[in-house]
Amino acid sequence: MPAVRTQLATPKAAAREIKASVKQGGPTYDKCLLVTLIVKQVSPDWGRISSVLNDKTESKAHDLWRKVILPALSAGRAWSTSTGGSWSSAEKIKLVTMIIEDAKVDWDIVARAFPERSKTQVRDVWRKGVFPKIKKGEAVS
């Protein structure tokens, strides 16, 4: 299966995606918007990811990401303990960490969603607050 390219989300498109599930204007909304903008910029190598995750196929890894983890991350819900069949929490955390660490984030695009913040401020919130929570398997709220 070739690497799946996810379309680069604009701040407006990302905001539309999370609007229904997160109260706009609050800290959870801002963090979910940040996560959504970053994960929309990834194009994971599903072959490499599945080779690291024992006995998980490319399609199983991609489906779990697309159907379970990504929607939960974007909405600020628990994702590492959510349903996912035969996937352990540790495997889900490893999957998400691998995907996000490989992201080539365009911080200019991400920062446009937060006009009151600088690019450095947005990147620091991601690096010091949001991504460490994701690496622990926690919700970003």
Side-chain angles (χ1 to χ4, degrees):
M1 178 185 286
V4 177
R5 296 258 176 221
T6 307
Q7 294 223 346
L8 186 64
T10 63
K12 283 185 180 181
R16 278 193 306 270
E17 285 184 32
I18 65 171
K19 189 175 186 178
S21 56
V22 181
K23 183 181 175 192
Q24 189 167 0
T28 300
Y29 176 85
D30 290 345
K31 290 176 185 173
C32 291
L33 179 59
L34 180 61
V35 169
T36 302
L37 287 167
I38 289 171
V39 298
K40 288 294 182 178
Q41 295 185 42
V42 301
S43 52
D45 179 351
W46 295 109
R48 183 180 68 78
I49 290 169
S50 66
S51 70
V52 172
L53 298 168
N54 300 331
D55 79 340
K56 304 298 183 195
T57 64
E58 293 178 36
S59 61
K60 282 184 181 179
H62 183 243
D63 284 347
L64 181 72
W65 170 253
R66 184 174 56 87
K67 295 177 182 177
V68 178
I69 295 174
L70 185 57
L73 275 174
S74 295
R77 295 189 313 264
W79 58 272
S80 64
T81 57
S82 59
T83 60
S86 62
W87 289 78
S88 69
S89 289
E91 288 174 320
K92 291 177 188 177
I93 292 167
K94 190 173 195 174
L95 170 72
V96 171
T97 302
M98 287 178 68
I99 290 170
I100 294 176
E101 283 179 344
D102 285 348
K104 307 284 188 279
V105 179
D106 184 340
W107 288 104
D108 289 321
I109 290 175
V110 174
R112 280 188 222 139
F114 305 94
E116 68 284 354
R117 303 284 183 201
S118 71
K119 181 170 72 170
T120 303
Q121 288 172 319
V122 172
R123 187 174 41 224
D124 283 349
V125 166
W126 171 257
R127 188 174 53 85
K128 295 177 182 176
V130 176
F131 193 47
K133 281 188 166 190
I134 289 173
K135 289 180 9 181
K136 292 177 188 172
E138 298 173 1
V140 297
S141 57

